């Protein structure tokens, strides 16, 4: 192994000191002179026609500066299906529909004004079950939405999620064993500890600046620019400035009504307008994880070799469309490529209902699909009379493989992951006792080298060096707590021969930072890292060239170590970086040292059949868990948790472990406790008392095992790790529960009630 | 009707005029512009707003400001010294990877301080219980628990 100075080191997160001292500025903390407060009035019905609105009393309230509705604002269409608008006119289709908004000098006044707005509704029948909403003649959420070949009104979205490889029907006939099940996944909330919010302001020339929490500065900028055009402000500019982000996890991969409302209010009042969600709003008016009804069948030969995988899904789209509707594009990945499965078929339908609409959430559909696949693998292995460990090993992916979806598997540590988990759980010894204690495992695949979901998968970096040798890295990447800033600094420091503390990473302003497609697909370490590395190489070349003049040595003979440029031939010839820079700046005909680099990995867009090498490398992992199930109460207790991940290389093991612990803890919540409960479209548990995320008292100790496969395409060998920690958690736990007490729970979360009911059913 | 309240804030005496229905967090964040104290829920359910009152960790979002009269209040701004030297708990959070997005961090650090002031050598279970009211969505808590353990060795 190479000797690195900064790579592989447990370096603290760059902004940690600001955060532990309370100095970091979050959107909640931001105040702009003259700022007004915006508040939003939501629909009290899941489906209703707006007959009449009277905002006059609200407008008369002292301190109120503007009241906006869908009737007095320009139409802005947003969202990936362009079916949403900031303020709804004519009709509301869910409880989170925004019907009016107020800007006032004080948040309490704004709140009071909302109470003075009178809206008359005609309540319409509503539909909450996507399978009902699919039926012929079902009531329509959006009457104007046409679909299918005949272009008829329908609730089914025009999204052709369909992947076929090989011949599933034939393979099924030839299978010795076939398992068939239905799994159901429900909504869970991101629960970012910092709620959503933004501050929008216009300058005198009507250019917009918006302070936001976004994970997609460049794409959000485009959305806002389109909104400006819709407002009649064609050609005006949008600048996005990120404050410190209080958690994201995918929730900030889209732009939302509240942001457009803040923009509209700011334009109307020509004052900065701030909107901050309450925790209740955060629960009911942000977009949770995509729910799914999954029908899955998998088959194998007598000896436990996979023959086929056949999956059908119905996704509750809710009333509008965000990235939740595109999660099938990621679900395809485990369906086609987790283990070697020669014949694959996957069809998914997204259906409008009067429920809330969903978004990206760590894993982007992968946890949902993996829950079904990995839970059923244990069932299939049991039918075949094979230990599920052996079953997984037999079918595990290997380097050099091309999967049915045309993924080229390069480095692949899946077998190592399975193996280490089995060892740590003492698999052969502990499995199959059914004595209330049980062990289980589940694996995952995810994109490890970004993913070409847009036309570009690129990220830009600019590096410049000042008079004192301080390295300014200006990146397109977004740090939302995961540590992108630090990992980038380590990569640059390693490449340039400086210390991490010499590096300042700026990532907050679209007027300054280069372009990037966003913090999704666990791509930042890989893509922004490679981009930063590329820029570092260019800067280094310039540095050596500049130094060659002052040191009288050929650039090829120079190198940099610990902030000093030196000659490899004559160690006496050396000079500190800052001195070289100063000489360069203060000399007639001088130059500055600065470079940019745009890195776009050689990833392919999926073709019309949804095939293609989406990512230049893939990340693998296996989680293993030991549980104890109380047969009297149905309580599941986690006794041991092992999370093994093929990460390529750990650039910063401490931050990497943080991603694995955080992901797994979130995954345990997904498996056992978390559930956004919607009753006829209404969220009935919009607080932390009734929506249970894990506390410090609940979380088990997690052993993170890092498998390094040194990926040739990754920066210093690294692959992505942001999402993987959450992906296989729920099925690993479900499998352990089955091993403990012999019941298979197919709906998340696995609450004590569900376990008890299943135990009762079993003893019948 | 505004009332006058006196208390000690991070070691300094303060006097403020406030409507009696205000919570402590409102006074800290809005009136005194000490925004290190975070509001994650406003309902006493997440611990982001934790401050110390006479050494005890409390949720300032549901704590009536009137009740701070005559008391000793410590917020996150009061922990590091003026030269920026971090308190050992803060240092330990930084060094152990206990901080990701950081929104829970000020409250976590103060809950940890309340614990270590009373129980200098806590067991892991005592640590877990002491911060069980402080929700964190990013870290999975393990590095926070580790940071508090490490800090307890240094204080
Ligand atoms: S903000 Fe006070 S407990 Fe959540
Ligand atoms: S670090 Fe983000 S909530 Fe704790």
């Amino acid at each position: 192994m190479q000797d690195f100075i900064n790579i592989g080191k447990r370096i603290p997160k760059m902004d940690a000191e600001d955060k532990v001292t309370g100095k970091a500025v979050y959107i909640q903390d931001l105040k702009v002179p003259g700022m007004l407060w915006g508040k939003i009035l939501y629909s009290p019905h899941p489906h209703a026609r707006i007959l009449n609105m009277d905002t006059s009393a609200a407008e008369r309230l002292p301190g109120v500066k503007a009241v906006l509705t869908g009737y007095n604002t320009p139409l802005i269409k947003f969202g990936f299906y362009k079916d949403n608008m900031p303020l709804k006119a004519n009709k509301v289709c869910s409880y989170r529909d925004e019907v009016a908004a107020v800007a006032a000098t004080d948040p309490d006044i704004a709140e009071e004004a909302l109470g003075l707005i009178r809206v008359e509704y005609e309540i319409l029948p509503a539909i909450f079950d996507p399978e009902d909403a699919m039926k012929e003649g079902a009531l329509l959420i959006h009457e104007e939405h046409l679909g299918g070949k005949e272009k008829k009104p329908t609730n089914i979205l025009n999204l052709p999620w369909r992947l076929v490889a090989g011949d599933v029907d034939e393979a099924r006939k030839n299978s010795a064993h076939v398992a068939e099940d239905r799994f159901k996944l429900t909504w869970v909330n991101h629960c970012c500890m910092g709620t959503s919010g933004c501050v929008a302001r216009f300058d005198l020339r009507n250019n917009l600046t918006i302070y936001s929490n976004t994970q997609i500065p460049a794409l959000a900028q485009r959305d806002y620019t389109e909104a400006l055009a819709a407002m009649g402000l064609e050609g005006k500019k949008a600048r996005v400035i990120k404050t410190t982000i209080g958690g994201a996890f995918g929730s900030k991969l889209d732009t939302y009504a509240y942001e457009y409302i803040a923009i509209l209010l700011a334009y109307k009042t020509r004052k900065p307008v701030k909107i901050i969600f309450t925790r209740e709003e955060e629960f009911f008016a942000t977009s949770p994880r995509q729910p799914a009804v999954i029908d899955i069948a998998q088959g194998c030969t007598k000896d436990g070799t996979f023959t086929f995988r056949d999956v059908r899904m119905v996704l509750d789209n809710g009333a509008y469309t965000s990235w939740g509707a595109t999660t099938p594009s990621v679900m395809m990945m485990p369906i086609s490529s987790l283990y070697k499965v020669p014949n694959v078929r996957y069809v998914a339908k997204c259906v409008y209902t009067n429920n809330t609409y969903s978004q990206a959430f760590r894993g982007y559909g992968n946890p949902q699909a993996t829950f079904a696949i990995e839970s059923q693998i244990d069932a299939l292995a049991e039918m075949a009379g094979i230990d599920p460990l052996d079953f997984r090993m037999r079918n595990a992916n290997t380097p050099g493989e091309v999967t049915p979806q045309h993924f080229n598997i390069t480095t692949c540590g899946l077998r190592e992951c399975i193996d280490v988990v089995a060892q740590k759980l003492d698999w052969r010894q502990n499995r199959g006792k059914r004595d209330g204690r049980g062990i289980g495992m589940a694996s995952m695949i995810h994109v490890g080298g970004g993913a070409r979901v847009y036309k570009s998968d690129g990220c830009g970096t600019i590096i410049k060096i000042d008079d004192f040798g301080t390295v300014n890295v200006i990146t397109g990447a977004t740090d939302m707590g995961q540590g992108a800033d630090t990992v980038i600094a380590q990569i640059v420091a390693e490449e340039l021969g400086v210390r991490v503390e010499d590096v300042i990473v700026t990532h907050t302003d679209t007027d300054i930072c280069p372009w990037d497609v966003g913090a999704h697909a666990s791509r930042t370490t890989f893509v922004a890292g490679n981009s930063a590395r590329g820029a570092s190489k260019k800067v280094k070349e310039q540095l050596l060239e500049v130094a060659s003049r002052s040191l009288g040595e050929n650039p090829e003979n120079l190198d940099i170590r610990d902030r000093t440029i030196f000659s490899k031939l004559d160690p006496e010839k050396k000079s500190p970086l800052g001195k070289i820079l100063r000489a360069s700046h203060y000399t007639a005909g001088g130059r500055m040292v600065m470079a940019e680099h745009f890195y776009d990995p050689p990833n392919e867009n999926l073709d019309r059949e949804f095939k293609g090498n989406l990512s230049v490398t893939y990340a693998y992992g296996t989680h293993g868990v030991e549980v104890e199930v109380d047969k009297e109460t149905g309580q599941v207790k986690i006794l041991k948790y092992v999370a093994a991940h093929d990460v390529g290389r750990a650039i910063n093991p401490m931050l990497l472990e943080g991603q694995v612990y955080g992901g797994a803890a979130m995954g345990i919540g997904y498996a056992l406790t978390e559930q956004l409960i919607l009753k006829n479209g209404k969220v009935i548990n919009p607080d932390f008392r009734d929506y249970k995320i894990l506390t410090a008292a609940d979380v088990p100790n997690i052993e993170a095992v890092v498998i390094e496969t040194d990926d040739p395409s990754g920066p210093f060998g690294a692959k992505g790790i942001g999402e993987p920690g959450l992906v296989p958690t729920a099925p690993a736990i479900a499998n352990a529960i089955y091993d403990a007490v012999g019941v298979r729970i197919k709906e998340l979360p696995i609450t004590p009630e569900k376990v008890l009911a299943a135990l009762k059913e079993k003893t019948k | 009707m505004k009332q006058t309240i006196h208390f000690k804030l991070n070691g300094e005496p303060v006097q403020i005029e406030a409507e009696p229905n205000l919570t402590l967090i409102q006074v800290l964040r809005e009136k005194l512009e000490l925004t290190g104290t975070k509001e994650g829920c406003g309902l006493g359910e997440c611990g982001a707003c934790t401050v110390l009152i006479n050494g005890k960790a409390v949720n300032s979002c549901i704590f009536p400001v009137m009740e701070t009269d005559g008391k000793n209040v410590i917020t996150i701004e009061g922990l590091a010294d003026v030269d920026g030297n971090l308190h050992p708990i803060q240092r330990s959070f930084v060094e152990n990877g206990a901080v990701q997005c950081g929104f829970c961090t000020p409250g976590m650090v103060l809950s940890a301080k309340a614990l270590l002031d009373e129980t200098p050598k806590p067991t892991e279970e005592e640590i877990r219980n002491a911060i069980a009211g402080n929700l964190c969505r990013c870290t999975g808590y393990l590095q926070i628990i580790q940071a508090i353990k490490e800090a307890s060795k240094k204080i």
Side-chain angles (χ1 to χ4, degrees), chain A residues 191-194 245-247 249 480, chain B residues 98-105 108 135-139 144:
Chain A
C191 294
C192 303
M193 291 315 296
I245 298 176
F249 316 114
M480 46 205 186
Chain B
V99 181
Q100 288 188 30
C101 86
F103 203 84
C104 70
T105 308
M108 274 300 176
L135 298 180
C136 173
R137 190 56 156 170
C138 301
T139 64
I144 296 174

Side-chain angles (χ1 to χ4, degrees), chain A residues 289-534:
Chain A
R289 184 183 288 285
Q290 178 64 53
V293 179
I294 305 177
D295 288 307
I296 178 170
Q298 300 182 92
C300 67
T301 60
K302 247 203 197 87
D303 64 1
T305 306
F306 263 127
T307 47
F308 78 95
R309 187 177 285 154
D310 193 5
V311 184
R312 261 175 305 123
M313 286 192 199
V314 175
L315 306 186
D316 184 340
N317 195 70
Y320 303 96
T321 310
S322 179
W323 299 118
T326 68
T327 50
S329 65
V330 173
M331 300 201 194
M332 285 174 182
M333 175 169 45
I335 290 170
S336 68
S337 306
L338 178 57
Y339 304 106
K340 292 178 182 166
V341 188
N343 301 288
V344 174
R345 182 164 59 198
Y346 172 51
V347 183
K349 285 197 162 61
C350 302
V351 189
Y352 280 129
T353 67
N354 294 108
N355 289 318
T356 188
Y357 69 92
S358 298
Q359 229 304 37
F361 188 168
R362 204 175 201 165
Y364 211 102
N366 195 342
Q368 293 93 311
T370 300
F371 177 63
I373 295 166
E374 278 286 4
S375 293
Q376 195 180 55
I377 285 178
D378 270 33
L380 186 61
E382 188 176 27
M383 288 169 116
I386 297 171
D387 186 318
L389 164 63
D390 299 325
F391 189 98
R392 287 186 171 84
M393 272 298 192
R394 169 181 289 274
N395 292 289
N397 303 95
T398 45
E401 175 193 345
V402 178
T403 77
Q405 205 182 349
H406 298 176
F407 294 173
N408 296 331
I409 306 305
T410 54
T411 55
C412 171
L414 179 56
R415 286 198 159 146
E416 291 90 321
C417 290
I418 296 173
D419 201 44
V420 78
V421 163
Q423 277 174 35
K424 301 253 174 203
L425 291 178
D426 212 343
W427 187 269
R428 307 277 180 212
Q429 188 61 37
N430 288 330
R431 209 178 164 281
K433 299 211 174 85
R434 292 275 166 92
D435 57 355
R437 275 171 85 137
I439 57 173
M441 66 161 69
S443 299
M444 51 80 48
I445 177 176
H446 203 69
V447 288
R452 189 169 300 278
V453 288
Y454 299 94
K455 284 262 176 318
S456 170
D457 194 11
C459 174
T461 309
I462 299 167
I463 299 183
K464 65 185 181 69
I465 307 184
D466 74 9
D467 266 355
F468 312 100
T470 297
V471 180
N472 286 106
V473 180
I474 309 159
T475 174
T478 291
D479 184 74
M480 46 205 186
Q482 85 279 39
D485 54 351
T486 314
V487 165
I488 289 169
Q490 286 176 261
I491 288 170
V492 171
E494 189 70 39
E495 199 62 51
L496 278 185
V498 298
R499 299 184 191 171
V500 172
E501 63 260 35
D502 301 335
V503 181
I504 296 174
V505 179
T506 300
H507 60 87
T508 48
D509 187 341
T510 53
D511 269 10
I512 296 167
C513 296
W515 192 84
D516 173 64
V517 78
H520 64 248
S522 303
R523 67 188 281 281
T524 301
T525 293
F526 188 94
V527 180
N530 269 329
S531 173
R533 196 175 185 196

Side-chain angles (χ1 to χ4, degrees), chain A residues 10 12-13 15-17 19-26 28-31 37 108 188-195 244-247 249 274 278-280 361-362 479-482 653-655 657-659 661-663 665-666 669 674 686-691 693-703, chain B residues 22 26 29-31 33-43 45-48 75-81 84-87 89-106 108-109 124-125 127-145 149:
Chain A
R10 308 179 83 85
K13 189 159 163 21
D15 59 6
E17 292 203 9
K19 288 172 172 175
V20 290
T21 51
K23 288 205 164 56
V25 176
Y26 297 81
Q28 279 75 9
D29 309 328
L30 187 71
K31 265 191 191 164
W37 293 81
D108 295 335
V188 288
N189 189 274
H190 301 79
C191 294
C192 303
M193 291 315 296
T195 55
T244 307
I245 298 176
F249 316 114
K274 176 169 183 167
T278 62
R279 179 56 59 185
E280 187 186 5
F361 188 168
R362 204 175 201 165
D479 184 74
M480 46 205 186
Q482 85 279 39
M654 183 169 82
L655 299 186
E657 283 157 14
Q659 287 305 300
Y661 297 151
M666 218 175 223
E674 290 185 38
D687 55 60
F688 286 125
R689 211 164 3 108
D690 298 320
Y691 185 101
I693 71 170
L694 258 54
T695 72
D698 306 322
V699 73
N701 282 319
I702 295 164
E703 187 179 354
Chain B
L22 290 185
Q26 288 172 308
R29 287 183 56 87
E30 304 303 329
K31 283 204 193 308
E33 301 207 330
L34 292 174
T35 54
T37 303
K38 302 299 174 203
E39 181 170 322
C41 70
L43 299 166
E45 295 169 357
C46 77
T75 69
I76 195 68
E77 287 87 354
L79 244 54
D81 71 20
N85 294 314
L86 302 185
H87 184 279
I89 297 174
Q90 292 173 312
R91 171 72 43 220
S92 189
F93 268 59
V94 169
E95 285 172 358
N96 286 283
V99 181
Q100 288 188 30
C101 86
F103 203 84
C104 70
T105 308
M108 274 300 176
V109 167
E124 179 172 321
E125 199 179 324
I127 295 173
R128 285 172 178 264
N129 288 334
I131 57 168
N134 294 81
L135 298 180
C136 173
R137 190 56 156 170
C138 301
T139 64
Y141 304 102
L142 299 178
Q143 286 160 314
I144 296 174
I145 295 165
K149 266 189 212 164

